[in-house]
Amino acid sequence: MRIGVLETGRSSDQKVIDQYGDYPIMFERLLSGLMPKATFETFRVVNNIFPESHTACDAWIITGSRHCALDDYYWVHVVKDLVRKSYVQKVKLLGICFGHQVIAQALGGIVTPSVGWGIGIHEYSIINQPTFFNYRQPTLKIPVYHNDQVTVTPPDCQIIGTSEFCKHAILHYPGHAFTTQAHPEMTKAYIQVLINRDRGKTLSEESAKLFEATLQKEVDSQHFAESMVAFLSS
């Protein structure tokens, strides 16, 4: 399987990239052990580098970004067009954070700013169980870092995971897409780096300490990665 990674954002700190990798590397690290025969190809769409068509790869991963799905950039519109064409022809889509939002908006949903930041390890109640998800616990814990979210889902969209803070946190578009507001590709150490970066800027010291406290929780990112692979194989 050839997986295209649409890179929609990138750290501005090269030292952070050197230590943790950029988003496409994080996804390859997360999934390659579960998909030894898959190949990953990055398209830096944030720099207007696009695939030839929506069928250039067997599936697409749309990464997180500091940008918003509502932004009026040319590349955002190109990504939305690729989402709509892929949806029609059932070229599978995986959306993470910004990717989760841009897929929803491209298909008729609504994205709005959250009331405050969602940062740290969030716990989501599992309210639906597609066959590929196959999770036997009532809640799932995954790293998050976001200030926007999907507030109205598109038609024919199933909510898998939800929380009081983020109602539409994990979504399934049967046969088409699997998306999450969370970041299964990010480690707790990487989230700590982001908190330190934003401490005293977009985050107060009090908020930063509250978010840091959640990093003591164990995460279920491995199960989420297994679900991503099962979705692509279903």
Side-chain angles (χ1 to χ4, degrees):
M1 176 177 281
R2 185 184 180 199
I3 299 175
V5 183
L6 303 183
E7 187 179 17
T8 64
R10 190 171 176 81
S11 174
S12 59
D13 190 336
Q14 188 59 45
K15 290 182 181 179
V16 172
I17 294 176
D18 291 341
Q19 183 174 1
Y20 294 97
D22 55 20
Y23 296 148
I25 288 175
M26 290 182 187
F27 281 108
E28 187 167 353
R29 186 185 299 138
L30 180 70
L31 299 175
S32 60
L34 300 170
M35 306 181 72
K37 294 183 179 181
T39 59
F40 296 80
E41 184 171 355
T42 297
F43 300 89
R44 194 169 291 172
V45 295
V46 69
N47 289 347
N48 293 319
I49 299 172
F50 307 112
E52 292 182 1
S53 77
H54 64 288
T55 57
C57 291
D58 300 308
W60 301 103
I61 297 174
I62 307 177
T63 73
S65 176
R66 64 181 177 84
H67 298 290
C68 174
L70 301 170
D71 287 343
D72 190 24
Y73 295 123
Y74 173 71
W75 67 266
V76 174
H77 294 292
V78 173
V79 170
K80 290 177 182 177
D81 186 58
L82 180 143
V83 167
R84 287 186 283 263
K85 289 178 178 177
S86 296
Y87 191 88
V88 169
Q89 294 196 11
K90 293 191 175 182
V91 179
K92 289 189 175 179
L93 298 158
L94 293 170
I96 305 297
C97 197
F98 173 89
H100 168 80
Q101 297 163 14
V102 82
I103 289 172
Q105 195 188 44
L107 299 176
I110 296 175
V111 174
T112 60
S114 304
V115 180
W117 284 89
I119 298 175
I121 307 302
H122 274 209
E123 190 165 349
Y124 301 113
S125 298
I126 304 305
I127 60 174
N128 284 297
Q129 283 277 16
T131 303
F132 70 86
F133 199 70
N134 192 29
Y135 191 62
R136 299 185 182 279
Q137 302 300 320
T139 62
L140 184 80
K141 296 183 286 293
I142 323 179
V144 301
Y145 213 102
H146 68 99
N147 195 32
D148 295 322
Q149 58 178 282
V150 177
T151 49
V152 177
T153 59
D156 303 321
C157 178
Q158 179 186 55
I159 302 170
I160 296 177
T162 185
S163 72
E164 184 177 346
F165 180 77
C166 186
K167 183 178 179 181
H168 308 124
I170 306 173
L171 301 178
H172 176 219
Y173 305 72
H176 299 278
F178 176 42
T179 73
T180 181
Q181 183 58 66
H183 281 284
E185 82 284 8
M186 291 184 179
T187 64
K188 292 191 283 187
Y190 187 79
I191 295 292
Q192 181 68 69
V193 167
L194 299 184
I195 292 173
N196 291 342
R197 178 198 66 188
D198 295 336
R199 188 190 302 268
K201 299 172 186 175
T202 56
L203 301 179
S204 68
E205 181 62 27
E206 181 182 9
S207 294
K209 287 181 178 179
L210 287 173
F211 296 141
E212 283 175 328
T214 69
L215 299 179
Q216 301 304 312
K217 298 177 181 179
E218 294 299 317
V219 297
D220 301 306
S221 298
Q222 180 62 28
H223 174 78
F224 202 90
E226 292 168 359
S227 297
M228 294 167 74
V229 173
F231 167 75
L232 293 176
S233 304
S234 64

